Amino acid sequence: MSKQELEVIGQDAACCPGLSAAPLDEGQAAELAKVFKALGDPVRLRLMSMIASRGEGGEVCVCELTPAFDLSQPTISHHLKLLRQAGLIDCERRGTWVYYWVLPGVLDKLAAFLTGTQPAGVAA
């Protein structure tokens, strides 16, 4: 087996500016700050994890989220509202209950930004 280095054809550093390639402009920084602020709270981070763990297109009822926390239902709803305002999740009321899901591509865009493979446009 040869120990030669493989050359990737058709990709160069200029195609995908990473986190350190160029500074964020004011709009990108404001958008990302909103997302990071929303995820900066342990309760919201756990909620996001619980919702995202349902997979692409999966959803979870608020009735399944609330028992996992030692918090009141209005407090959980407030945290979910902040995640929605940050553009991370969406919801739909069905009768008495509200169902939540991660917006398509949001986690991939955030991961791509953090790994330096995509510009900063995170929110969907």
Side-chain angles (χ1 to χ4, degrees), residues 43-51 65 69 79-80 83:
V43 172
R44 290 192 291 272
L45 192 56
R46 282 187 61 208
L47 285 166
M48 187 68 184
S49 173
M50 292 170 74
I51 297 166
L65 298 171
F69 299 89
H79 285 295
L80 290 165
L83 290 172

Side-chain angles (χ1 to χ4, degrees), residues 16-114:
C16 305
L19 179 59
S20 61
L24 296 173
D25 66 30
E26 192 173 323
Q28 291 170 322
E31 184 179 332
L32 280 169
K34 188 169 64 169
V35 171
F36 287 127
K37 184 175 182 180
L39 293 174
D41 180 87
V43 172
R44 290 192 291 272
L45 192 56
R46 282 187 61 208
L47 285 166
M48 187 68 184
S49 173
M50 292 170 74
I51 297 166
S53 69
R54 296 298 173 110
E56 185 90 18
E59 55 187 31
V60 62
C61 178
V62 70
C63 64
E64 297 174 61
L65 298 171
T66 305
F69 299 89
D70 190 24
L71 298 169
S72 67
Q73 187 277 324
T75 301
I76 297 297
S77 291
H78 171 73
H79 285 295
L80 290 165
K81 176 183 163 187
L82 293 176
L83 290 172
R84 274 193 350 264
Q85 289 174 339
L88 296 168
I89 63 173
D90 204 359
C91 66
E92 176 182 77
R93 177 172 293 282
R94 296 182 198 152
T96 304
W97 302 111
V98 179
Y99 291 80
Y100 293 87
W101 59 88
V102 175
L103 288 171
V106 166
L107 296 177
D108 291 336
K109 289 178 185 177
L110 187 57
F113 170 74
L114 291 172

